[in-house]
Amino acid sequence: MKRTKSRATSFDVAALAGVSQSAVSRAFTPGSSIAEDKRAKVLEAARMLNYVPNSIASSLTTKRTNIIALILGNMHNPFYVHVLNEFSRRLQGLGRQILIFTVDPGSESDDAILRALQYQIDGVILTAAQLSTRMTSICHERGIPIVLFNRYIPGSDASGVRCDNVGGGRLIAEAFLAAGAKSFAMITGDPKGTTSQDRVRGFVERLMEEGVRRSEIEEVPGHSSYDGAASAALSLFAARSRPRPDALFGINDIMAMGAIDALRHRLGLRIPDDLMVGGFDDIPEARRAPYKLTTVRQPIDQMVARTLELMHLDEPDRPIERGIDLPLPSRLVWRGTVPVPPAFRAAAAEAAAADRPESG
Amino acid sequence: MKRTKSRATSFDVAALAGVSQSAVSRAFTPGSSIAEDKRAKVLEAARMLNYVPNSIASSLTTKRTNIIALILGNMHNPFYVHVLNEFSRRLQGLGRQILIFTVDPGSESDDAILRALQYQIDGVILTAAQLSTRMTSICHERGIPIVLFNRYIPGSDASGVRCDNVGGGRLIAEAFLAAGAKSFAMITGDPKGTTSQDRVRGFVERLMEEGVRRSEIEEVPGHSSYDGAASAALSLFAARSRPRPDALFGINDIMAMGAIDALRHRLGLRIPDDLMVGGFDDIPEARRAPYKLTTVRQPIDQMVARTLELMHLDEPDRPIERGIDLPLPSRLVWRGTVPVPPAFRAAAAEAAAADRPESG
DNA sequence: TTGAAAGCGCTAACAA
DNA sequence: TTGTTAGCGCTTTCAA
């Protein structure tokens, strides 16, 4: 069978309904002035012809496509999968579509943004990668809001939403200290990203307040991946002269999980008996039986909501606010990888209760 | 600062470059006839004005948007995350963009497709949900290919790519038999989906060939999720009069993982000593130390490649082929959740070697 | 409330 | 190889 290529246009519908083409347009535009019976006739004709309004054509005049570009870096980190899900759910609810771009983590996102711009997207959400100031200003010149998710770029005009990473790092340090840890190590993520840097900073800062010397806190890069963290952990613990650390901070959950698996199954370490481990993000996987990871929860829902607010999708003519940095509070979730000190028993019990059903 | 809303058009570029507007169009159209020096002038002017061609406008005449709609159901299953990644990588390589829609697993995808149609997408990839024949014919009428990924719908005009699920189910049965299992159980997925049905069918079929009676194969629904499978497994093993099965088939990896975790950590079962477990998909998580899941590998790369081929993106006028069902071969990956019989030692060693680095 | 008509930014004949 | 011109399918004045 051949393609009929029969896409009915508003003119076809108008002809069938016996009205003008503009009437058809009005019938499909909420809040435009058209008589109810006429609208009904149009809708009926449209149904008969399988007419679907052409958003591409309408955006040519309205200057709005209702498309948002979502630029994703590391999809291998489940955190971003949940972020994508949440954005998708909400944006669809707002009648917006998502044009997706995946870029290599750590690489420039300029290319992706440029391609997005060709599609006259109404906004850009960037969850990854670097952003040049040139690209930022190109977007802003055109009135296209661009907001960074889970990161900020110092000195950038782009606004961003993230959680309080420094505070979160402190929470983990606090938990380790309360559990009696004496020597510390961490597996870090992208060294160029503020997210990893801030978590490290908060963690170190808090430890130093208790008299721990920076040189005593071991640090090894885990490349933000499960496997990277697994080898990092092994290199940290395998053969060593100095005493093993008794507390390990994985800068994100997926790395903490990689470290836990490697340490347990390759080196036979018991957690938390031999080593306590803390993570960051609180991805759903962190609750699972093999991990029961004590971690810092990022308020994804809130972060997504604030991101959308920052874009002001329904006020397209509003001047774009520059360089807003919106840090949201994070909180510690006590689970099984850090021994729970008496003072935190209640919090731990609460977390355990909340963990019962995994949403998904 | 206010929005300048200054999007340069091809006319602006033409004026600055001192050429006609069509020259600008040509300068940006690969393979169109334009003098090299003229093109250079145009490009230079474009750069100065931060001009980005408006694909939305061009698609009005070309009838091609280079946008593909990707409709995703269960994003909580990592399998689909990897699928998304692969589609994104390849489609971006082909100069196509992905408009993403997430729908509730099991629900109609008609809504999403209708919204996609408004954007004049060049094709639809459906990884989830039901598809009405009405929607199929609407797409086909318009010359828009729609291809089902990892599923087929009996009697549907839509084409699809999937793996040989029946054969895969047989492979797991085969492995269980070779390992000496005598009693069997399975955790099933979406009862309306052919994917789950076929895997079950192959599994059962093979067992029955060996004289196992259908009524002896226990079956419990796991709702395609980690948590669903965890409770399913518990209900299967917790309190029971008849002897426990000694082999459990999780219709997909994420359910096999949920079952393993629950059985190990809640009931203290040892795997594979007390119970052997088989999965399906071979998601990257299946290789991880806590699981080392013996499973059936779906050839994602091939499936994605064939899906794209079926869409014939570069021959938009080609008649759409109807109802093609393309089953690709699947293969067993021996790991640690099924005791490896001597005959399969080599295969198991090979799998272990291949597992070393996780891509990601 | 309605219809006619002028664009939106581009591509694609067509002539030059 | 060029420029001119006529649309693509819609929204949006503007008059009626």
Side-chain angles (χ1 to χ4, degrees), chain B residues 79 83 87 125-127 147-151 161 303-304 307:
Chain B
F79 174 73
V83 167
F87 271 120
I125 298 169
L126 195 67
T127 74
V147 9
L148 309 169
F149 186 89
N150 196 31
R151 58 205 351 91
V161 173
M303 288 166 66
V304 167
T307 301

Side-chain angles (χ1 to χ4, degrees), chain A residues 59-291:
Chain A
S59 67
L60 209 50
T61 22
T62 60
K63 308 287 185 205
R64 321 220 54 229
T65 53
N66 290 326
I67 297 176
I68 304 295
L70 180 57
I71 303 181
L72 252 22
N74 188 355
M75 284 267 294
H76 296 286
N77 183 346
F79 174 73
Y80 289 106
V81 176
H82 295 97
V83 166
L84 163 58
N85 245 310
E86 193 57 21
F87 272 119
S88 175
R89 223 177 45 74
R90 291 186 106 117
L91 251 7
Q92 285 185 192
L94 296 171
R96 262 66 178 203
Q97 324 303 325
I98 297 180
L99 203 59
I100 220 168
F101 297 86
T102 52
V103 303
D104 291 334
S107 68
E108 271 291 351
S109 46
D110 288 17
D111 255 29
I113 297 182
L114 235 25
R115 272 179 300 144
L117 285 177
Q118 300 190 195
Y119 285 87
Q120 315 299 115
I121 38 87
D122 292 344
V124 178
I125 298 168
L126 195 68
T127 74
Q130 311 302 310
L131 173 67
S132 69
T133 58
R134 173 159 174 272
M135 205 45 74
T136 311
S137 64
I138 290 185
C139 287
H140 284 182
E141 254 173 30
R142 304 174 158 238
I144 296 174
I146 163 165
V147 10
L148 310 169
F149 186 89
N150 195 31
R151 58 206 349 93
Y152 72 94
I153 300 178
S156 170
D157 259 359
S159 294
V161 173
R162 57 184 179 91
C163 84
D164 173 12
N165 288 305
V166 173
R170 294 181 63 95
L171 288 176
I172 292 291
E174 194 74 45
F176 284 169
L177 291 165
K182 299 286 179 227
S183 54
F184 307 86
M186 49 196 181
I187 299 181
T188 60
D190 177 9
K192 288 179 304 194
T194 51
T195 305
S196 175
Q197 287 167 9
D198 286 353
R199 292 174 187 178
V200 165
R201 184 147 57 87
F203 181 70
V204 168
E205 197 176 271
R206 182 70 192 86
L207 293 182
M208 290 177 70
E209 286 171 12
E210 297 303 313
V212 178
R213 279 200 304 263
R214 171 70 225 226
S215 61
E216 285 172 339
I217 307 170
E218 293 191 76
E219 180 175 352
V220 51
H223 310 289
S224 300
S225 75
Y226 176 94
D227 281 331
S231 0
L234 290 177
S235 77
L236 201 52
F237 284 79
R240 51 183 298 127
S241 42
R242 30 175 186 161
R244 287 176 166 169
D246 47 29
L248 174 64
F249 177 27
I251 243 63
N252 63 211
D253 286 353
I254 194 70
M255 290 202 292
M257 289 164 60
I260 289 174
D261 283 346
L263 263 17
R264 254 192 205 142
H265 297 266
R266 301 283 291 277
L267 300 187
L269 258 56
R270 290 164 312 151
I271 292 164
D273 315 70
D274 298 327
L275 173 74
M276 53 183 94
V277 177
F280 207 115
D281 284 347
D282 195 25
I283 57 179
E285 290 78 357
R287 307 202 260 268
R288 295 186 179 165
Y291 304 104

Side-chain angles (χ1 to χ4, degrees), chain A residues 1-8 47 49-57 59-60 63 65-67 72-76 78 81-82 84-85 88-89 92 95-103 114-121 134 137-138 140-145 223-227 254 257 261-262 264-265 285 287-291 311-312 315-320 322 356-360, chain B residues 1-8 47 49-57 59-60 63 65-67 72-76 78 81-82 84-85 88-89 92 95-103 114-121 134 137-138 140-145 224-227 254 257 261-262 264-265 284-285 287-291 311-312 315-320 322 356-360:
Chain A
M1 155 142 192
K2 348 183 178 78
R3 298 190 180 188
T4 327
K5 281 298 177 63
S6 73
R7 312 192 189 189
R47 218 186 41 70
L49 296 174
N50 281 334
Y51 169 74
V52 176
N54 183 333
S55 317
I56 255 48
S59 67
L60 209 50
K63 308 287 185 205
T65 53
N66 290 326
I67 297 176
L72 252 22
N74 188 355
M75 284 267 294
H76 296 286
V81 176
H82 295 97
L84 163 58
N85 245 310
S88 175
R89 223 177 45 74
Q92 285 185 192
R96 262 66 178 203
Q97 324 303 325
I98 297 180
L99 203 59
I100 220 168
F101 297 86
T102 52
V103 303
L114 235 25
R115 272 179 300 144
L117 285 177
Q118 300 190 195
Y119 285 87
Q120 315 299 115
I121 38 87
R134 173 159 174 272
S137 64
I138 290 185
H140 284 182
E141 254 173 30
R142 304 174 158 238
I144 296 174
H223 310 289
S224 300
S225 75
Y226 176 94
D227 281 331
I254 194 70
M257 289 164 60
D261 283 346
R264 254 192 205 142
H265 297 266
E285 290 78 357
R287 307 202 260 268
R288 295 186 179 165
Y291 304 104
M311 302 187 66
H312 296 290
E315 302 170 74
D317 294 324
R318 178 191 239 271
I320 292 180
R322 306 298 176 93
R356 229 62 82 176
E358 173 175 313
S359 60
Chain B
M1 159 144 187
K2 346 184 178 77
R3 298 190 181 187
T4 327
K5 282 296 175 66
S6 72
R7 312 193 189 188
R47 219 185 40 71
L49 296 174
N50 281 335
Y51 168 75
V52 177
N54 183 334
S55 320
I56 255 44
S59 68
L60 209 50
K63 309 287 186 202
T65 52
N66 290 326
I67 296 176
L72 253 21
N74 188 354
M75 284 267 294
H76 296 286
V81 176
H82 295 97
L84 163 58
N85 244 311
S88 175
R89 223 177 44 75
Q92 285 184 191
R96 263 67 179 201
Q97 323 302 326
I98 296 180
L99 203 58
I100 221 167
F101 298 86
T102 53
V103 304
L114 235 24
R115 272 179 299 144
L117 285 177
Q118 300 189 198
Y119 285 88
Q120 314 299 113
I121 38 85
R134 171 159 175 274
S137 64
I138 289 185
H140 284 181
E141 255 172 28
R142 306 172 159 241
I144 296 173
S224 300
S225 74
Y226 176 93
D227 281 331
I254 192 72
M257 288 164 60
D261 284 346
R264 253 192 206 144
H265 297 267
E285 289 78 356
R287 308 202 260 268
R288 295 185 180 167
Y291 304 104
M311 303 188 63
H312 295 291
E315 302 170 75
D317 294 325
R318 178 191 239 272
I320 292 180
R322 305 298 175 94
R356 229 62 84 178
E358 173 174 312
S359 61

